[in-house]
Amino acid sequence: SRWITSVINKPGRKYRLFRAVSGEESRPDYRTMMRYGIPLEDTIVESHDRHGFRNKFPFHIASEESYADFVEKLAEYSPGVEVPLTDLRPSIVIKGVKKPYNEDTFEVIRIGDVMLRGVLPCTRCLVTTVDKDTAQLRENQEPMRTLTKYRYVGGKGAFGDLFSHHIQSSGGSFKVGDKIYVRSRKEFPAPFPKSSLLRSNQK
């Protein structure tokens, strides 16, 4: 801690190194489960889930088709504003789905020789509102402003979905260009506009 703090040299701040150990205890984000109204006894968090330097799940998957749909809505709500896909920060980008946000329905998928399990939509944080080229906050708070108008989940705007290792996966690897095989699909409550939530709460 003293060494890394001295290297970063930010007065008044302390840092420490983090090491993820293979086979470490899983670290489920119970606050996320409660935010989605999902009972903790449900199988959203499973015993084989492993978490390292992250607060939810290891993979964030989004499709190019979903991004294209977002860009159309962004032009409607914030004309002239551009938000690159990299600012939405998916770790895996796929293409070729039949319709935008079809990744919401992926329950079990295989990429290369790795099997993954779809968990829940990925709500985005304020970091996405920072223009990575200028390191400045966007004044209109995009992409959050647009996402919360039509992908309002758990109090935030969602883009893409979180995935974890499937219990039948024993490791492996995948690479850019690998095909994705959808082994099974799920029904998950679709994200809904913020206005719909406000109306339902007023009833």
Side-chain angles (χ1 to χ4, degrees):
S1 176
R2 287 194 297 268
W3 175 79
I4 192 66
T5 298
S6 66
V7 171
I8 296 177
N9 193 26
K10 293 281 188 179
R13 294 189 177 184
K14 292 184 178 181
Y15 299 87
R16 65 179 179 177
L17 294 173
F18 177 88
R19 181 169 67 101
V21 181
S22 178
E24 66 181 354
E25 294 293 328
S26 61
R27 183 163 55 86
D29 185 349
Y30 292 115
R31 288 177 300 177
T32 297
M33 305 303 111
M34 294 174 65
R35 183 187 306 141
Y36 283 92
I38 299 170
L40 299 184
E41 62 269 18
D42 282 3
T43 57
I44 294 298
V45 178
E46 297 182 353
S47 60
H48 61 274
D49 287 331
R50 292 291 178 264
H51 297 252
F53 192 54
R54 52 193 165 266
N55 67 335
K56 293 179 184 175
F57 295 91
F59 303 101
H60 173 199
I61 298 179
S63 67
E64 291 185 357
E65 289 78 6
S66 299
Y67 176 66
D69 183 74
F70 161 77
V71 169
E72 290 184 6
K73 291 179 170 60
L74 177 66
E76 176 184 352
Y77 296 124
S78 294
V81 175
E82 295 183 1
V83 178
L85 178 57
T86 50
D87 281 10
L88 290 161
R89 309 180 72 198
S91 55
I92 300 174
V93 178
I94 63 177
K95 66 178 180 180
V97 298
K98 293 182 178 180
K99 60 182 181 179
Y101 315 108
N102 206 19
E103 55 268 34
D104 290 345
T105 68
F106 294 174
E107 182 175 44
V108 178
I109 64 174
R110 180 170 65 83
I111 311 176
D113 52 4
V114 178
M115 289 183 65
L116 301 178
R117 177 176 62 89
V119 185
L120 72 171
C122 181
T123 55
R124 307 315 296 131
C125 66
L126 289 177
V127 173
T128 60
T129 66
V130 177
D131 187 321
K132 70 180 187 308
D133 294 327
T134 64
Q136 299 296 316
L137 283 169
R138 296 187 182 90
E139 294 183 2
N140 51 9
Q141 295 187 327
E142 291 293 2
M144 297 300 294
R145 180 172 181 265
T146 293
L147 288 174
T148 54
K149 289 182 179 296
Y150 78 106
R151 295 272 295 176
Y152 191 76
V153 179
K156 294 182 179 181
F159 183 82
D161 290 80
L162 295 172
F163 284 73
S164 184
H165 293 92
H166 191 268
I167 192 170
Q168 295 180 10
S169 181
S170 57
S173 63
F174 54 85
K175 63 183 183 300
V176 174
D178 280 350
K179 291 184 177 181
I180 295 180
Y181 297 91
V182 180
R183 303 289 295 272
S184 62
R185 294 182 181 271
K186 62 182 177 180
E187 292 185 6
F188 197 89
F192 44 86
K194 186 174 183 179
S195 57
S196 298
L197 176 69
L198 295 176
R199 285 197 296 270
S200 65
N201 287 341
Q202 292 171 355
K203 291 182 180 179

